[in-house]
PDB file of all heavy atoms in Angstrom:
ATOM      1  N   ILE W   1      98.809  79.524 116.398  1.00 92.00           N
ATOM      2  CA  ILE W   1      97.898  80.626 116.076  1.00 92.00           C
ATOM      3  C   ILE W   1      97.649  80.700 114.578  1.00 92.00           C
ATOM      4  O   ILE W   1      96.524  81.005 114.136  1.00 92.00           O
ATOM      5  CB  ILE W   1      98.452  81.955 116.629  1.00 92.00           C
ATOM      6  CG1 ILE W   1      98.415  81.933 118.166  1.00 92.00           C
ATOM      7  CG2 ILE W   1      97.656  83.147 116.099  1.00 92.00           C
ATOM      8  CD1 ILE W   1      99.046  83.133 118.833  1.00 92.00           C
ATOM      9  N   SER W   2      98.652  80.392 113.775  1.00 91.00           N
ATOM     10  CA  SER W   2      98.470  80.387 112.324  1.00 91.00           C
ATOM     11  C   SER W   2      97.441  79.339 111.902  1.00 91.00           C
ATOM     12  O   SER W   2      96.597  79.589 111.032  1.00 91.00           O
ATOM     13  CB  SER W   2      99.806  80.120 111.627  1.00 91.00           C
ATOM     14  OG  SER W   2     100.715  81.173 111.853  1.00 91.00           O
ATOM     15  N   ILE W   3      97.480  78.171 112.526  1.00 93.00           N
ATOM     16  CA  ILE W   3      96.503  77.113 112.224  1.00 93.00           C
ATOM     17  C   ILE W   3      95.096  77.575 112.592  1.00 93.00           C
ATOM     18  O   ILE W   3      94.136  77.389 111.828  1.00 93.00           O
ATOM     19  CB  ILE W   3      96.864  75.817 112.964  1.00 93.00           C
ATOM     20  CG1 ILE W   3      98.134  75.198 112.377  1.00 93.00           C
ATOM     21  CG2 ILE W   3      95.714  74.806 112.890  1.00 93.00           C
ATOM     22  CD1 ILE W   3      98.686  74.038 113.182  1.00 93.00           C
ATOM     23  N   LEU W   4      94.953  78.179 113.777  1.00 94.00           N
ATOM     24  CA  LEU W   4      93.637  78.642 114.226  1.00 94.00           C
ATOM     25  C   LEU W   4      93.096  79.741 113.315  1.00 94.00           C
ATOM     26  O   LEU W   4      91.899  79.754 112.981  1.00 94.00           O
ATOM     27  CB  LEU W   4      93.731  79.137 115.673  1.00 94.00           C
ATOM     28  CG  LEU W   4      94.026  78.068 116.727  1.00 94.00           C
ATOM     29  CD1 LEU W   4      94.235  78.703 118.094  1.00 94.00           C
ATOM     30  CD2 LEU W   4      92.891  77.044 116.791  1.00 94.00           C
ATOM     31  N   ILE W   5      93.961  80.664 112.901  1.00 93.00           N
ATOM     32  CA  ILE W   5      93.536  81.716 111.970  1.00 93.00           C
ATOM     33  C   ILE W   5      93.088  81.090 110.645  1.00 93.00           C
ATOM     34  O   ILE W   5      92.085  81.506 110.046  1.00 93.00           O
ATOM     35  CB  ILE W   5      94.672  82.730 111.742  1.00 93.00           C
ATOM     36  CG1 ILE W   5      94.864  83.598 112.993  1.00 93.00           C
ATOM     37  CG2 ILE W   5      94.391  83.618 110.524  1.00 93.00           C
ATOM     38  CD1 ILE W   5      96.024  84.567 112.919  1.00 93.00           C
ATOM     39  N   GLY W   6      93.802  80.068 110.189  1.00 90.00           N
ATOM     40  CA  GLY W   6      93.427  79.380 108.965  1.00 90.00           C
ATOM     41  C   GLY W   6      92.058  78.722 109.064  1.00 90.00           C
ATOM     42  O   GLY W   6      91.270  78.732 108.111  1.00 90.00           O
ATOM     43  N   MET W   7      91.741  78.163 110.236  1.00 93.00           N
ATOM     44  CA  MET W   7      90.445  77.513 110.435  1.00 93.00           C
ATOM     45  C   MET W   7      89.310  78.535 110.368  1.00 93.00           C
ATOM     46  O   MET W   7      88.263  78.281 109.770  1.00 93.00           O
ATOM     47  CB  MET W   7      90.442  76.789 111.778  1.00 93.00           C
ATOM     48  CG  MET W   7      91.382  75.592 111.829  1.00 93.00           C
ATOM     49  SD  MET W   7      91.544  74.870 113.483  1.00 93.00           S
ATOM     50  CE  MET W   7      89.894  74.185 113.702  1.00 93.00           C
ATOM     51  N   VAL W   8      89.517  79.690 110.966  1.00 94.00           N
ATOM     52  CA  VAL W   8      88.496  80.745 110.908  1.00 94.00           C
ATOM     53  C   VAL W   8      88.359  81.275 109.480  1.00 94.00           C
ATOM     54  O   VAL W   8      87.251  81.519 108.994  1.00 94.00           O
ATOM     55  CB  VAL W   8      88.843  81.890 111.886  1.00 94.00           C
ATOM     56  CG1 VAL W   8      87.793  82.997 111.803  1.00 94.00           C
ATOM     57  CG2 VAL W   8      88.944  81.370 113.318  1.00 94.00           C
ATOM     58  N   THR W   9      89.482  81.422 108.801  1.00 90.00           N
ATOM     59  CA  THR W   9      89.468  81.913 107.414  1.00 90.00           C
ATOM     60  C   THR W   9      88.677  80.977 106.507  1.00 90.00           C
ATOM     61  O   THR W   9      88.027  81.427 105.554  1.00 90.00           O
ATOM     62  CB  THR W   9      90.908  82.059 106.888  1.00 90.00           C
ATOM     63  OG1 THR W   9      91.635  82.944 107.742  1.00 90.00           O
ATOM     64  CG2 THR W   9      90.929  82.610 105.466  1.00 90.00           C
ATOM     65  N   ALA W  10      88.712  79.682 106.797  1.00 89.00           N
ATOM     66  CA  ALA W  10      87.997  78.698 105.985  1.00 89.00           C
ATOM     67  C   ALA W  10      86.488  78.948 105.988  1.00 89.00           C
ATOM     68  O   ALA W  10      85.792  78.584 105.031  1.00 89.00           O
ATOM     69  CB  ALA W  10      88.286  77.288 106.495  1.00 89.00           C
ATOM     70  N   VAL W  11      85.984  79.565 107.035  1.00 91.00           N
ATOM     71  CA  VAL W  11      84.571  79.940 107.093  1.00 91.00           C
ATOM     72  C   VAL W  11      84.361  81.366 106.580  1.00 91.00           C
ATOM     73  O   VAL W  11      83.420  81.641 105.846  1.00 91.00           O
ATOM     74  CB  VAL W  11      84.029  79.813 108.538  1.00 91.00           C
ATOM     75  CG1 VAL W  11      82.566  80.250 108.607  1.00 91.00           C
ATOM     76  CG2 VAL W  11      84.182  78.383 109.046  1.00 91.00           C
ATOM     77  N   ASP W  12      85.263  82.253 106.947  1.00 92.00           N
ATOM     78  CA  ASP W  12      85.119  83.672 106.603  1.00 92.00           C
ATOM     79  C   ASP W  12      85.200  83.918 105.102  1.00 92.00           C
ATOM     80  O   ASP W  12      84.404  84.696 104.551  1.00 92.00           O
ATOM     81  CB  ASP W  12      86.216  84.466 107.326  1.00 92.00           C
ATOM     82  CG  ASP W  12      86.148  85.953 107.039  1.00 92.00           C
ATOM     83  OD1 ASP W  12      85.378  86.645 107.735  1.00 92.00           O
ATOM     84  OD2 ASP W  12      86.852  86.425 106.124  1.00 92.00           O
ATOM     85  N   MET W  13      86.125  83.272 104.421  1.00 86.00           N
ATOM     86  CA  MET W  13      86.395  83.598 103.018  1.00 86.00           C
ATOM     87  C   MET W  13      85.215  83.313 102.093  1.00 86.00           C
ATOM     88  O   MET W  13      84.763  84.223 101.365  1.00 86.00           O
ATOM     89  CB  MET W  13      87.653  82.865 102.545  1.00 86.00           C
ATOM     90  CG  MET W  13      88.111  83.274 101.160  1.00 86.00           C
ATOM     91  SD  MET W  13      89.654  82.474 100.679  1.00 86.00           S
ATOM     92  CE  MET W  13      90.815  83.312 101.758  1.00 86.00           C
ATOM     93  N   PRO W  14      84.641  82.092 102.083  1.00 85.00           N
ATOM     94  CA  PRO W  14      83.500  81.876 101.179  1.00 85.00           C
ATOM     95  C   PRO W  14      82.274  82.677 101.589  1.00 85.00           C
ATOM     96  O   PRO W  14      81.478  83.085 100.731  1.00 85.00           O
ATOM     97  CB  PRO W  14      83.238  80.370 101.301  1.00 85.00           C
ATOM     98  CG  PRO W  14      83.827  79.966 102.602  1.00 85.00           C
ATOM     99  CD  PRO W  14      85.019  80.873 102.793  1.00 85.00           C
ATOM    100  N   THR W  15      82.115  82.916 102.893  1.00 88.00           N
ATOM    101  CA  THR W  15      80.966  83.708 103.355  1.00 88.00           C
ATOM    102  C   THR W  15      81.074  85.136 102.850  1.00 88.00           C
ATOM    103  O   THR W  15      80.095  85.721 102.357  1.00 88.00           O
ATOM    104  CB  THR W  15      80.902  83.707 104.894  1.00 88.00           C
ATOM    105  OG1 THR W  15      80.883  82.358 105.369  1.00 88.00           O
ATOM    106  CG2 THR W  15      79.652  84.416 105.383  1.00 88.00           C
ATOM    107  N   ARG W  16      82.255  85.716 102.958  1.00 86.00           N
ATOM    108  CA  ARG W  16      82.466  87.095 102.518  1.00 86.00           C
ATOM    109  C   ARG W  16      82.279  87.219 101.006  1.00 86.00           C
ATOM    110  O   ARG W  16      81.676  88.183 100.518  1.00 86.00           O
ATOM    111  CB  ARG W  16      83.875  87.549 102.932  1.00 86.00           C
ATOM    112  CG  ARG W  16      84.103  89.028 102.884  1.00 86.00           C
ATOM    113  CD  ARG W  16      85.242  89.483 103.779  1.00 86.00           C
ATOM    114  NE  ARG W  16      86.195  88.451 104.117  1.00 86.00           N
ATOM    115  CZ  ARG W  16      87.273  88.173 103.408  1.00 86.00           C
ATOM    116  NH1 ARG W  16      87.514  88.839 102.303  1.00 86.00           N
ATOM    117  NH2 ARG W  16      88.107  87.220 103.814  1.00 86.00           N
ATOM    118  N   GLN W  17      82.800  86.241 100.261  1.00 81.00           N
ATOM    119  CA  GLN W  17      82.651  86.286  98.803  1.00 81.00           C
ATOM    120  C   GLN W  17      81.183  86.182  98.394  1.00 81.00           C
ATOM    121  O   GLN W  17      80.711  86.918  97.518  1.00 81.00           O
ATOM    122  CB  GLN W  17      83.451  85.143  98.166  1.00 81.00           C
ATOM    123  CG  GLN W  17      84.953  85.253  98.325  1.00 81.00           C
ATOM    124  CD  GLN W  17      85.562  86.324  97.438  1.00 81.00           C
ATOM    125  OE1 GLN W  17      84.900  86.829  96.542  1.00 81.00           O
ATOM    126  NE2 GLN W  17      86.801  86.675  97.700  1.00 81.00           N
ATOM    127  N   ALA W  18      80.450  85.266  99.031  1.00 81.00           N
ATOM    128  CA  ALA W  18      79.035  85.078  98.691  1.00 81.00           C
ATOM    129  C   ALA W  18      78.173  86.238  99.164  1.00 81.00           C
ATOM    130  O   ALA W  18      77.081  86.468  98.633  1.00 81.00           O
ATOM    131  CB  ALA W  18      78.529  83.767  99.293  1.00 81.00           C
ATOM    132  N   PHE W  19      78.632  86.970 100.173  1.00 86.00           N
ATOM    133  CA  PHE W  19      77.870  88.083 100.738  1.00 86.00           C
ATOM    134  C   PHE W  19      77.859  89.298  99.820  1.00 86.00           C
ATOM    135  O   PHE W  19      76.932  90.115  99.857  1.00 86.00           O
ATOM    136  CB  PHE W  19      78.475  88.460 102.104  1.00 86.00           C
ATOM    137  CG  PHE W  19      77.619  89.378 102.935  1.00 86.00           C
ATOM    138  CD1 PHE W  19      76.238  89.284 102.935  1.00 86.00           C
ATOM    139  CD2 PHE W  19      78.208  90.338 103.747  1.00 86.00           C
ATOM    140  CE1 PHE W  19      75.452  90.118 103.712  1.00 86.00           C
ATOM    141  CE2 PHE W  19      77.433  91.185 104.531  1.00 86.00           C
ATOM    142  CZ  PHE W  19      76.056  91.079 104.519  1.00 86.00           C
ATOM    143  N   ILE W  20      78.872  89.424  98.965  1.00 83.00           N
ATOM    144  CA  ILE W  20      78.987  90.608  98.102  1.00 83.00           C
ATOM    145  C   ILE W  20      77.763  90.781  97.223  1.00 83.00           C
ATOM    146  O   ILE W  20      77.248  91.893  97.057  1.00 83.00           O
ATOM    147  CB  ILE W  20      80.275  90.527  97.246  1.00 83.00           C
ATOM    148  CG1 ILE W  20      81.514  90.704  98.127  1.00 83.00           C
ATOM    149  CG2 ILE W  20      80.260  91.601  96.154  1.00 83.00           C
ATOM    150  CD1 ILE W  20      82.828  90.583  97.383  1.00 83.00           C
ATOM    151  N   VAL W  21      77.254  89.687  96.651  1.00 78.00           N
ATOM    152  CA  VAL W  21      76.118  89.791  95.733  1.00 78.00           C
ATOM    153  C   VAL W  21      74.880  90.320  96.448  1.00 78.00           C
ATOM    154  O   VAL W  21      74.039  91.002  95.851  1.00 78.00           O
ATOM    155  CB  VAL W  21      75.822  88.432  95.059  1.00 78.00           C
ATOM    156  CG1 VAL W  21      75.223  87.447  96.048  1.00 78.00           C
ATOM    157  CG2 VAL W  21      74.905  88.614  93.850  1.00 78.00           C
ATOM    158  N   HIS W  22      74.746  90.064  97.743  1.00 79.00           N
ATOM    159  CA  HIS W  22      73.607  90.585  98.503  1.00 79.00           C
ATOM    160  C   HIS W  22      73.764  92.073  98.793  1.00 79.00           C
ATOM    161  O   HIS W  22      72.780  92.810  98.838  1.00 79.00           O
ATOM    162  CB  HIS W  22      73.471  89.817  99.821  1.00 79.00           C
ATOM    163  CG  HIS W  22      73.162  88.365  99.652  1.00 79.00           C
ATOM    164  ND1 HIS W  22      71.893  87.901  99.376  1.00 79.00           N
ATOM    165  CD2 HIS W  22      73.957  87.268  99.699  1.00 79.00           C
ATOM    166  CE1 HIS W  22      71.910  86.582  99.263  1.00 79.00           C
ATOM    167  NE2 HIS W  22      73.155  86.175  99.459  1.00 79.00           N
ATOM    168  N   MET W  23      74.989  92.508  98.978  1.00 84.00           N
ATOM    169  CA  MET W  23      75.224  93.916  99.312  1.00 84.00           C
ATOM    170  C   MET W  23      75.044  94.845  98.120  1.00 84.00           C
ATOM    171  O   MET W  23      74.748  96.023  98.285  1.00 84.00           O
ATOM    172  CB  MET W  23      76.626  94.095  99.910  1.00 84.00           C
ATOM    173  CG  MET W  23      76.753  93.539 101.318  1.00 84.00           C
ATOM    174  SD  MET W  23      78.332  93.970 102.087  1.00 84.00           S
ATOM    175  CE  MET W  23      79.443  92.899 101.181  1.00 84.00           C
ATOM    176  N   VAL W  24      75.222  94.321  96.899  1.00 81.00           N
ATOM    177  CA  VAL W  24      75.027  95.166  95.722  1.00 81.00           C
ATOM    178  C   VAL W  24      73.665  94.928  95.077  1.00 81.00           C
ATOM    179  O   VAL W  24      73.376  95.452  94.003  1.00 81.00           O
ATOM    180  CB  VAL W  24      76.145  94.946  94.665  1.00 81.00           C
ATOM    181  CG1 VAL W  24      77.485  95.360  95.217  1.00 81.00           C
ATOM    182  CG2 VAL W  24      76.179  93.503  94.186  1.00 81.00           C
ATOM    183  N   GLU W  25      72.837  94.119  95.750  1.00 69.00           N
ATOM    184  CA  GLU W  25      71.435  93.924  95.354  1.00 69.00           C
ATOM    185  C   GLU W  25      71.299  93.469  93.898  1.00 69.00           C
ATOM    186  O   GLU W  25      70.630  94.107  93.088  1.00 69.00           O
ATOM    187  CB  GLU W  25      70.645  95.221  95.588  1.00 69.00           C
ATOM    188  CG  GLU W  25      70.670  95.684  97.041  1.00 69.00           C
ATOM    189  CD  GLU W  25      70.219  97.125  97.196  1.00 69.00           C
ATOM    190  OE1 GLU W  25      69.674  97.670  96.222  1.00 69.00           O
ATOM    191  OE2 GLU W  25      70.433  97.689  98.276  1.00 69.00           O
ATOM    192  N   GLY W  26      71.935  92.390  93.572  1.00 60.00           N
ATOM    193  CA  GLY W  26      71.849  91.851  92.221  1.00 60.00           C
ATOM    194  C   GLY W  26      73.199  91.809  91.536  1.00 60.00           C
ATOM    195  O   GLY W  26      74.216  92.139  92.111  1.00 60.00           O
ATOM    196  N   LYS W  27      73.168  91.414  90.259  1.00 63.00           N
ATOM    197  CA  LYS W  27      74.422  91.174  89.541  1.00 63.00           C
ATOM    198  C   LYS W  27      74.874  92.326  88.648  1.00 63.00           C
ATOM    199  O   LYS W  27      75.966  92.269  88.089  1.00 63.00           O
ATOM    200  CB  LYS W  27      74.292  89.914  88.680  1.00 63.00           C
ATOM    201  CG  LYS W  27      74.315  88.619  89.485  1.00 63.00           C
ATOM    202  CD  LYS W  27      74.371  87.424  88.562  1.00 63.00           C
ATOM    203  CE  LYS W  27      74.527  86.122  89.342  1.00 63.00           C
ATOM    204  NZ  LYS W  27      74.603  84.955  88.453  1.00 63.00           N
ATOM    205  N   ASP W  28      74.071  93.378  88.517  1.00 64.00           N
ATOM    206  CA  ASP W  28      74.436  94.446  87.587  1.00 64.00           C
ATOM    207  C   ASP W  28      75.781  95.070  87.930  1.00 64.00           C
ATOM    208  O   ASP W  28      76.576  95.396  87.048  1.00 64.00           O
ATOM    209  CB  ASP W  28      73.350  95.530  87.587  1.00 64.00           C
ATOM    210  CG  ASP W  28      72.066  95.062  86.912  1.00 64.00           C
ATOM    211  OD1 ASP W  28      72.127  94.026  86.215  1.00 64.00           O
ATOM    212  OD2 ASP W  28      71.025  95.704  87.082  1.00 64.00           O
ATOM    213  N   ASP W  29      76.028  95.260  89.226  1.00 73.00           N
ATOM    214  CA  ASP W  29      77.284  95.878  89.657  1.00 73.00           C
ATOM    215  C   ASP W  29      78.188  94.890  90.388  1.00 73.00           C
ATOM    216  O   ASP W  29      79.120  95.296  91.083  1.00 73.00           O
ATOM    217  CB  ASP W  29      76.989  97.082  90.568  1.00 73.00           C
ATOM    218  CG  ASP W  29      76.273  98.201  89.834  1.00 73.00           C
ATOM    219  OD1 ASP W  29      76.624  98.442  88.663  1.00 73.00           O
ATOM    220  OD2 ASP W  29      75.363  98.815  90.413  1.00 73.00           O
ATOM    221  N   LEU W  30      77.892  93.584  90.228  1.00 75.00           N
ATOM    222  CA  LEU W  30      78.667  92.572  90.951  1.00 75.00           C
ATOM    223  C   LEU W  30      80.127  92.574  90.531  1.00 75.00           C
ATOM    224  O   LEU W  30      81.024  92.530  91.378  1.00 75.00           O
ATOM    225  CB  LEU W  30      78.059  91.179  90.724  1.00 75.00           C
ATOM    226  CG  LEU W  30      78.812  89.996  91.359  1.00 75.00           C
ATOM    227  CD1 LEU W  30      78.887  90.156  92.871  1.00 75.00           C
ATOM    228  CD2 LEU W  30      78.141  88.677  90.980  1.00 75.00           C
ATOM    229  N   SER W  31      80.393  92.623  89.221  1.00 74.00           N
ATOM    230  CA  SER W  31      81.786  92.583  88.768  1.00 74.00           C
ATOM    231  C   SER W  31      82.554  93.781  89.298  1.00 74.00           C
ATOM    232  O   SER W  31      83.720  93.660  89.710  1.00 74.00           O
ATOM    233  CB  SER W  31      81.854  92.538  87.240  1.00 74.00           C
ATOM    234  OG  SER W  31      81.270  93.707  86.681  1.00 74.00           O
ATOM    235  N   ASN W  32      81.911  94.958  89.325  1.00 80.00           N
ATOM    236  CA  ASN W  32      82.569  96.145  89.838  1.00 80.00           C
ATOM    237  C   ASN W  32      82.842  96.017  91.335  1.00 80.00           C
ATOM    238  O   ASN W  32      83.908  96.418  91.819  1.00 80.00           O
ATOM    239  CB  ASN W  32      81.703  97.384  89.567  1.00 80.00           C
ATOM    240  CG  ASN W  32      82.383  98.670  89.970  1.00 80.00           C
ATOM    241  OD1 ASN W  32      82.007  99.294  90.955  1.00 80.00           O
ATOM    242  ND2 ASN W  32      83.393  99.083  89.218  1.00 80.00           N
ATOM    243  N   ALA W  33      81.898  95.433  92.076  1.00 81.00           N
ATOM    244  CA  ALA W  33      82.080  95.244  93.520  1.00 81.00           C
ATOM    245  C   ALA W  33      83.243  94.302  93.806  1.00 81.00           C
ATOM    246  O   ALA W  33      84.043  94.537  94.715  1.00 81.00           O
ATOM    247  CB  ALA W  33      80.793  94.699  94.144  1.00 81.00           C
ATOM    248  N   ILE W  34      83.355  93.221  93.017  1.00 78.00           N
ATOM    249  CA  ILE W  34      84.444  92.262  93.213  1.00 78.00           C
ATOM    250  C   ILE W  34      85.786  92.920  92.918  1.00 78.00           C
ATOM    251  O   ILE W  34      86.760  92.755  93.663  1.00 78.00           O
ATOM    252  CB  ILE W  34      84.242  91.027  92.303  1.00 78.00           C
ATOM    253  CG1 ILE W  34      83.020  90.226  92.783  1.00 78.00           C
ATOM    254  CG2 ILE W  34      85.482  90.136  92.301  1.00 78.00           C
ATOM    255  CD1 ILE W  34      82.602  89.134  91.829  1.00 78.00           C
ATOM    256  N   VAL W  35      85.831  93.715  91.843  1.00 76.00           N
ATOM    257  CA  VAL W  35      87.079  94.386  91.482  1.00 76.00           C
ATOM    258  C   VAL W  35      87.455  95.447  92.517  1.00 76.00           C
ATOM    259  O   VAL W  35      88.623  95.588  92.888  1.00 76.00           O
ATOM    260  CB  VAL W  35      86.957  95.013  90.075  1.00 76.00           C
ATOM    261  CG1 VAL W  35      88.133  95.930  89.799  1.00 76.00           C
ATOM    262  CG2 VAL W  35      86.897  93.912  89.013  1.00 76.00           C
ATOM    263  N   LEU W  36      86.463  96.194  93.017  1.00 80.00           N
ATOM    264  CA  LEU W  36      86.746  97.196  94.046  1.00 80.00           C
ATOM    265  C   LEU W  36      87.223  96.529  95.331  1.00 80.00           C
ATOM    266  O   LEU W  36      88.073  97.068  96.042  1.00 80.00           O
ATOM    267  CB  LEU W  36      85.506  98.043  94.318  1.00 80.00           C
ATOM    268  CG  LEU W  36      85.102  99.030  93.225  1.00 80.00           C
ATOM    269  CD1 LEU W  36      83.894  99.850  93.666  1.00 80.00           C
ATOM    270  CD2 LEU W  36      86.255  99.957  92.862  1.00 80.00           C
ATOM    271  N   ASN W  37      86.674  95.350  95.615  1.00 77.00           N
ATOM    272  CA  ASN W  37      87.153  94.595  96.776  1.00 77.00           C
ATOM    273  C   ASN W  37      88.620  94.227  96.594  1.00 77.00           C
ATOM    274  O   ASN W  37      89.425  94.328  97.523  1.00 77.00           O
ATOM    275  CB  ASN W  37      86.305  93.336  96.967  1.00 77.00           C
ATOM    276  CG  ASN W  37      86.567  92.657  98.292  1.00 77.00           C
ATOM    277  OD1 ASN W  37      86.324  93.226  99.348  1.00 77.00           O
ATOM    278  ND2 ASN W  37      87.085  91.443  98.237  1.00 77.00           N
ATOM    279  N   SER W  38      88.969  93.827  95.372  1.00 71.00           N
ATOM    280  CA  SER W  38      90.365  93.530  95.066  1.00 71.00           C
ATOM    281  C   SER W  38      91.216  94.790  95.176  1.00 71.00           C
ATOM    282  O   SER W  38      92.363  94.736  95.651  1.00 71.00           O
ATOM    283  CB  SER W  38      90.474  92.946  93.653  1.00 71.00           C
ATOM    284  OG  SER W  38      91.818  92.706  93.307  1.00 71.00           O
ATOM    285  N   SER W  39      90.661  95.935  94.761  1.00 73.00           N
ATOM    286  CA  SER W  39      91.392  97.203  94.868  1.00 73.00           C
ATOM    287  C   SER W  39      91.697  97.526  96.325  1.00 73.00           C
ATOM    288  O   SER W  39      92.787  98.010  96.649  1.00 73.00           O
ATOM    289  CB  SER W  39      90.579  98.353  94.267  1.00 73.00           C
ATOM    290  OG  SER W  39      90.348  98.141  92.902  1.00 73.00           O
ATOM    291  N   MET W  40      90.723  97.247  97.209  1.00 79.00           N
ATOM    292  CA  MET W  40      90.943  97.492  98.635  1.00 79.00           C
ATOM    293  C   MET W  40      92.058  96.611  99.177  1.00 79.00           C
ATOM    294  O   MET W  40      92.926  97.072  99.925  1.00 79.00           O
ATOM    295  CB  MET W  40      89.660  97.234  99.422  1.00 79.00           C
ATOM    296  CG  MET W  40      88.599  98.288  99.264  1.00 79.00           C
ATOM    297  SD  MET W  40      87.283  98.090 100.477  1.00 79.00           S
ATOM    298  CE  MET W  40      86.628  96.486 100.032  1.00 79.00           C
ATOM    299  N   VAL W  41      92.026  95.336  98.782  1.00 74.00           N
ATOM    300  CA  VAL W  41      93.066  94.407  99.235  1.00 74.00           C
ATOM    301  C   VAL W  41      94.434  94.907  98.811  1.00 74.00           C
ATOM    302  O   VAL W  41      95.396  94.909  99.597  1.00 74.00           O
ATOM    303  CB  VAL W  41      92.814  92.990  98.677  1.00 74.00           C
ATOM    304  CG1 VAL W  41      93.991  92.071  98.987  1.00 74.00           C
ATOM    305  CG2 VAL W  41      91.530  92.412  99.255  1.00 74.00           C
TER     306      VAL W  41
END
């Protein structure tokens, strides 16, 4: 199960990171969005 979770994560992780810039509609608040994401983690 750990291997299977890792395989899904390999797709999820870069997609989620690249998706952030679309959710904040540009780069003005991108750094803040990335840091807040880290705060959530």
Side-chain angles (χ1 to χ4, degrees):
I1 292 175
S2 295
I3 290 171
L4 293 174
I5 288 176
M7 292 172 68
V8 179
T9 302
V11 178
D12 180 85
M13 187 176 289
T15 305
R16 196 157 22 90
Q17 294 286 348
F19 193 36
I20 290 178
V21 71
H22 296 281
M23 288 188 287
V24 296
E25 301 165 12
K27 286 188 175 181
D28 289 345
D29 295 321
L30 177 60
S31 62
N32 185 252
I34 292 170
V35 169
L36 289 183
N37 191 63
S38 177
S39 298
M40 286 192 297
V41 172

